[in-house]
Amino acid sequence: MNQSFLGLPGGKPNAVIPKYVFTTLTTENHYARPNVQYFIDISGITANRNLIIRAGKLGDAIDVSLTAGINTFGLIVIGDTGVTINGGTAATKWATMFIAGTTVRLFATSATNWQAVYVPVSSTYSPTLTNTTNIAASTTHVCQYTLFDNVGLVFGKVEIDPTTTGDTNLGISLPVPSDFTSTDDLSGTGTAVAINQSFGAYADTTNNRAIFQGTVTDVANRAYLFSFGFRIL
């Protein structure tokens, strides 16, 4: 895949770097240069793209903000060869940026390490529900979510109309994609609004969504309030 140098005329590494850069990413990975503030539109990408952080010097800074985003693919913040972020492994993904308003600030603590801060960003979505076990019908509602670093938090409400009493399992989609490897990559709880009926949430490693599971004691259609956290992998 081709690479380009953001904000550098003609893509030349020795060109003068402007203070502010507004750009749109589509099909390429891109290098970010020290002491530049980037405003990036990723709404047109069709796969994950890399924002590669180059080596700098002590005291350098990079600021990256998304002016437009997409919740199906992301901009991966990753160090260049030999460059670490927050003391991690060189040339390894640090975080993924998805939605408009997401901001990452990086400060060079040495020539080859950047200390990064992911400014939390919030939005809403209506999850897709999957009636997996003992559910005649379910209703989705607008939910809230917050993203920071490699973690997402979701808060919302669903309605479940069970077929009968007993074990009940509902699938809830995520606001942004994650490739789960363990059921522990997501956890949360939920409770019925009108009666004492609790559910738990954990990661579905096959379908990369939340499993919302509990035991219903009647067949009434009920609203459940829930929250869960998940790793963005």
Side-chain angles (χ1 to χ4, degrees):
M1 182 175 290
N2 294 330
Q3 313 288 352
S4 67
F5 291 90
L6 288 182
L8 300 183
K12 298 177 182 179
N14 59 350
V16 176
I17 304 173
K19 184 177 181 181
Y20 301 100
V21 172
F22 294 83
T23 191
T24 299
L25 304 190
T26 53
T27 61
E28 296 180 327
N29 295 327
H30 292 268
Y31 286 103
R33 287 290 194 168
N35 302 316
V36 179
Q37 185 171 15
Y38 294 101
F39 298 92
I40 303 177
D41 177 349
I42 65 166
S43 60
I45 64 176
T46 57
N48 288 337
R49 303 300 176 202
N50 291 340
L51 182 67
I52 305 164
I53 307 301
R54 301 299 300 267
K57 62 181 183 298
L58 179 64
D60 282 346
I62 299 173
D63 196 276
V64 183
S65 297
L66 296 188
T67 58
I70 185 170
N71 62 1
T72 50
F73 303 105
L75 181 64
I76 296 173
V77 181
I78 185 171
D80 197 7
T81 303
V83 175
T84 62
I85 300 176
N86 287 358
T89 303
T92 300
K93 180 181 82 170
W94 172 70
T96 306
M97 306 172 70
F98 289 98
I99 63 175
T102 305
T103 298
V104 169
R105 295 189 172 100
L106 302 103
F107 305 92
T109 58
S110 70
T112 57
N113 182 71
W114 294 83
Q115 193 68 26
V117 177
Y118 191 115
V119 180
V121 61
S122 298
S123 189
T124 61
Y125 82 118
S126 296
T128 299
L129 306 181
T130 303
N131 302 332
T132 306
T133 304
N134 191 37
I135 298 177
S138 59
T139 304
T140 188
H141 290 265
V142 176
C143 299
Q144 297 77 45
Y145 68 94
T146 298
L147 307 177
F148 58 96
D149 291 358
N150 288 308
V151 175
L153 300 176
V154 177
F155 309 89
K157 180 177 77 171
V158 293
E159 294 177 45
I160 298 175
D161 185 4
T163 303
T164 186
T165 59
D167 183 58
T168 303
N169 184 319
L170 177 72
I172 303 176
S173 68
L174 305 177
V176 298
S178 184
D179 189 12
F180 294 143
T181 59
S182 167
T183 56
D184 295 338
D185 290 334
L186 182 151
S187 62
T189 60
T191 186
V193 173
I195 64 173
N196 184 16
Q197 200 161 262
S198 298
F199 275 54
Y202 58 95
D204 182 339
T205 58
T206 300
N207 299 294
N208 289 324
R209 64 191 179 209
I211 295 175
F212 190 57
Q213 186 171 15
T215 301
V216 299
T217 56
D218 63 15
V219 294
N221 182 74
R222 297 195 181 278
Y224 291 82
L225 303 180
F226 69 89
S227 62
F228 61 77
F230 65 98
R231 299 177 64 198
I232 302 173
L233 300 170

